[in-house]
Amino acid sequence: MEGMDANVALLAIFVLSIFVGFEVVSKVSTVLHTPLMSGANAIHGIVLLGGIIVTGAADGALEISLGLLAILLGAINLVGGFVVTDRMLEMFKPKTKPAPARESGSDA
Amino acid sequence: MNGTWTQIGYLVASVLFILALKGLSSPRTARNGNLLGALGAVIGTVVLFLSGIPLNNLALIIAAIAVGSAIGAVSARRVKMTQMPQLVALFNGVGGGAAALISVIEYLEVGGEDTLALTATVFTVVVGSVSFSGSIVTFLKLQEVMTTRPVIVPAGKYVTILVAVATIGGAIWLVVAPQTWLLVALLVLALVFGVLFVLPVGGADVPIVISLLNAFTGLSVAASGYVLGNVLLIIAGTLVGASGTLLTREMAKAMGRPITSTLFGAFSGTTAGGGGSGSDRPVRSGSANDVAIMLGFASKVILVPGYGLAVAQAQNVLRELADMLAERGVEVDYAIHPVAGRMPGHMNVLLAEASVPYEQLKEMDEINPEFSSTDVVLVVGANDVVNPAARTDKSAPIYGMPILNVDQAQQVVFLKRSMRPGFAGIENEILYDPKTMLLFGDAKDSLTKVVAALKAV
């Protein structure tokens, strides 16, 4: 790694992340498309960190106000995203009663 | 906390995000996957606070986080499951807005010396703003605040192209000659473009657009991560950008629509399909009693639930009906179209909420060969996903979308509120077929009546 340009390192991270991103979601059943979209949506809420970084370094009133707005929006995205995804997935949990035992087929 | 530990903390959070996406791809691990993602977010945030970066306005920052988290959590808890797609759209939009704002602030504070960083800043401002305004429009469409039909602005295509060209031109100019007024102008242009981009998209294509905008937001977050030199933002944003793109393609495939036609002039122009001439044609309507008798003496019944079922909150009554039929020895299955509801997989979530056993839900490819041997198909609040125009009518906006072949069954019963066409706004020929019976009314009322009648049969 010695002497690796910082920009090249970031580029490498970027490119590898693209492949990982493709790989982890290949072969998802349509049943999970909605929760997956919602979960991915929550993950980009991590933009909250960016809001904290710029606001932490800001001194002008305009910059601070915009920064606080960014933090507010980022937190809504992050927290709301994970909570709503959890609510969707809550319903996929296996029922405590043995559901398949109920005969639902023909009476032959 | 020194630099190395901070980076290791971010690495842990990144791995958790990857595991989250991986987990979300399988029903058994999905919920834990989501929790891992949340854990990753918490770790990332804590690491940032401990990393020793300057935090000037700490009290205000914490207050903003608290307020934002409360708004997010409460709205996510309170939203009805039927309205969940628009909430996801809204969350996506605010995320894009946050990314755009961050880049604006970074520009105001640092300015642009480094061309690469400046390019990333401009990218974030443009893509984040498009995602923000576009998501707001999809929200308004799904909430039915505005029409779900494609909105065609006069000469809209040219206006859109003009705005797109101006946005790209402005972006290049800004990178070459950084000026604050230009950044503001670019922000406005990108917001306008986001609106123009989504306006002509028809209701049925909205989910695909949400998924695409989700990927956009991911990429803008990744770019802002580059501007700020934050590895976690780069990884998380890129992951979402990549997986979101793939997911968008999958969704488009499930609907049989090439992604390009969704985006560029999907449903554009002549939409009303079929000319609406059929509205006065006679239909066969029946009573709850007729329906109960048909169902009760069938040997095989397939239920086709649609968004109308969810809106009427009739999932539980439908399950009750299915249970009663099963007790009588009728073979009952639920046919789930990939895009039933408002988003792919939405219907599964809604039926799971009503405790419908998972194994009774049959996906389209699995159930389609069975319609020809089915006595009665009961369509509850679905329309576009069973419309044969998708197979036959080349002029129909849904042409090419795979549908459930309910027209192959012996008899079809539609529970409908009115003759109003579906979300995509197209006439459905099956409604006029002699083997079709319509039972008008609210889905929940109708089903309740059918259940009562079935008890007497």
Side-chain angles (χ1 to χ4, degrees):
Chain A
M1 284 294 279
E2 194 190 340
M4 190 168 179
D5 185 289
N7 278 330
V8 177
L10 293 180
L11 185 67
I13 290 170
F14 174 69
V15 173
L16 293 177
S17 300
I18 291 178
F19 280 94
V20 174
F22 278 139
E23 195 52 41
V24 287
V25 300
S26 58
K27 299 184 212 120
V28 183
S29 106
T30 48
V31 176
L32 283 168
H33 278 175
T34 294
L36 181 64
M37 188 213 287
S38 180
N41 176 48
I43 288 176
H44 68 51
I46 199 69
V47 71
L48 168 68
L49 298 198
I52 298 172
I53 294 170
V54 291
T55 313
D59 20 56
L62 176 67
E63 284 91 338
I64 293 175
S65 322
L66 291 177
L68 291 174
L69 182 59
I71 293 176
L72 187 80
L73 296 180
I76 292 175
N77 183 185
L78 189 71
V79 176
F82 281 116
V83 173
V84 82
T85 310
D86 189 62
R87 259 191 78 191
M88 287 178 211
L89 294 168
E90 202 171 32
M91 294 159 191
F92 283 100
K93 69 167 178 256
K95 301 282 169 294
T96 40
K97 59 172 188 207
R102 196 176 59 84
E103 88 282 30
S104 63
S106 61
D107 56 347
Chain B
M1 209 164 175
N2 68 28
T4 306
W5 284 107
T6 304
Q7 294 307 320
I8 289 174
Y10 285 157
L11 180 64
V12 171
S14 305
V15 170
L16 287 169
F17 284 156
I18 294 170
L19 292 176
L21 286 175
K22 186 81 195 153
L24 280 164
S25 307
S26 156
R28 265 187 320 110
T29 53
R31 198 171 184 199
N32 285 334
N34 185 55
L35 294 177
L36 286 178
L39 180 66
V42 171
I43 290 178
T45 312
V46 171
V47 166
L48 177 68
F49 276 110
L50 298 180
S51 68
I53 58 154
L55 287 171
N56 284 339
N57 313 292
L58 192 58
L60 286 171
I61 289 174
I62 290 173
I65 296 174
V67 174
S69 304
I71 295 174
V74 169
S75 49
R77 277 275 149 226
R78 292 234 175 114
V79 69
K80 283 193 212 135
M81 270 302 158
T82 45
Q83 294 175 334
M84 187 195 61
Q86 47 267 53
L87 189 68
V88 174
L90 204 57
F91 286 158
N92 179 57
V94 298
L101 281 175
I102 288 164
S103 288
V104 170
I105 300 161
E106 185 68 9
Y107 177 87
L108 294 177
E109 284 177 0
V110 183
E113 298 108 54
D114 178 2
T115 311
L116 210 54
L118 193 58
T119 309
T121 303
V122 172
F123 178 86
T124 313
V125 170
V126 171
V127 178
S129 303
V130 169
S131 186
F132 176 74
S133 62
S135 297
I136 300 298
V137 177
T138 55
F139 169 79
L140 294 176
K141 282 194 183 222
L142 288 167
Q143 191 71 29
E144 300 189 17
V145 173
M146 60 178 285
T147 174
T148 60
R149 303 287 188 88
V151 177
I152 309 295
V153 192
K157 203 184 281 177
Y158 303 102
V159 176
T160 309
I161 292 173
L162 201 70
V163 174
V165 169
T167 309
I168 294 168
I172 295 170
W173 187 10
L174 185 57
V175 172
V176 177
Q179 294 153 90
T180 307
W181 72 266
L182 192 54
L183 185 78
V184 176
L186 197 60
L187 188 77
V188 174
L189 274 174
L191 288 173
V192 172
F193 179 74
V195 174
L196 291 172
F197 175 66
V198 179
L199 272 184
V201 174
D205 280 345
V206 166
I208 300 179
V209 173
I210 298 179
S211 177
L212 185 75
L213 293 175
N214 189 34
F216 277 12
T217 305
L219 289 178
S220 65
V221 170
S224 71
Y226 176 77
V227 176
L228 300 173
N230 187 298
V231 177
L232 181 56
L233 259 58
I234 298 179
I235 295 178
T238 311
L239 281 175
V240 176
S243 60
T245 306
L246 196 69
L247 190 58
T248 308
R249 213 191 58 186
E250 290 294 308
M251 283 186 186
K253 213 158 64 182
M255 299 181 69
R257 302 185 56 76
I259 204 123
T260 44
S261 80
T262 304
L263 303 183
F264 307 107
F267 294 18
S268 65
T270 55
T271 296
S277 56
S279 322
D280 300 331
R281 282 185 289 163
V283 292
R284 189 162 69 104
S285 66
S287 68
N289 241 328
D290 301 330
V291 176
I293 290 167
M294 276 168 72
L295 292 171
F297 291 100
S299 60
K300 186 169 172 183
V301 169
I302 294 180
L303 307 172
V304 179
Y307 186 69
L309 172 90
V311 171
Q313 291 292 309
Q315 302 97 304
N316 285 305
V317 197
L318 183 68
R319 200 209 48 191
E320 198 184 327
L321 178 67
D323 289 350
M324 277 177 73
L325 289 173
E327 270 164 37
R328 295 174 67 102
V330 182
E331 191 184 338
V332 185
D333 282 311
Y334 295 80
I336 311 294
H337 190 276
V339 293
R342 286 287 156 86
M343 288 207 284
H346 190 193
M347 187 52 62
N348 301 72
V349 173
L350 295 169
L351 290 177
E353 191 184 18
S355 314
V356 172
Y358 198 71
E359 54 277 4
Q360 281 181 17
L361 308 181
K362 298 280 167 66
E363 287 189 30
M364 182 171 62
D365 295 337
E366 197 183 342
I367 198 91
N368 256 347
E370 301 201 18
F371 280 108
S372 51
S373 61
T374 298
D375 301 304
V376 185
V377 173
L378 181 65
V379 182
V380 188
N383 197 345
D384 298 329
V385 297
V386 298
N387 191 340
R391 281 201 304 259
T392 54
D393 182 2
K394 284 205 167 125
S395 68
I398 56 167
Y399 180 72
M401 176 171 92
I403 56 162
L404 294 165
N405 300 324
V406 302
D407 52 338
Q408 289 169 3
Q410 303 295 315
Q411 291 190 290
V412 185
V413 178
F414 270 89
L415 300 192
K416 277 181 79 62
R417 253 185 319 191
S418 66
M419 286 301 284
R420 218 170 64 104
F423 200 49
I426 325 145
E427 283 274 5
N428 192 341
E429 281 300 318
I430 309 188
L431 296 176
Y432 306 103
D433 195 300
K435 71 181 176 192
T436 300
M437 183 188 278
L438 281 90
L439 176 55
F440 286 111
D442 173 75
K444 192 173 184 178
D445 288 349
S446 297
L447 281 171
T448 311
K449 283 181 199 151
V450 172
V451 166
L454 190 62
K455 278 180 188 148
V457 170

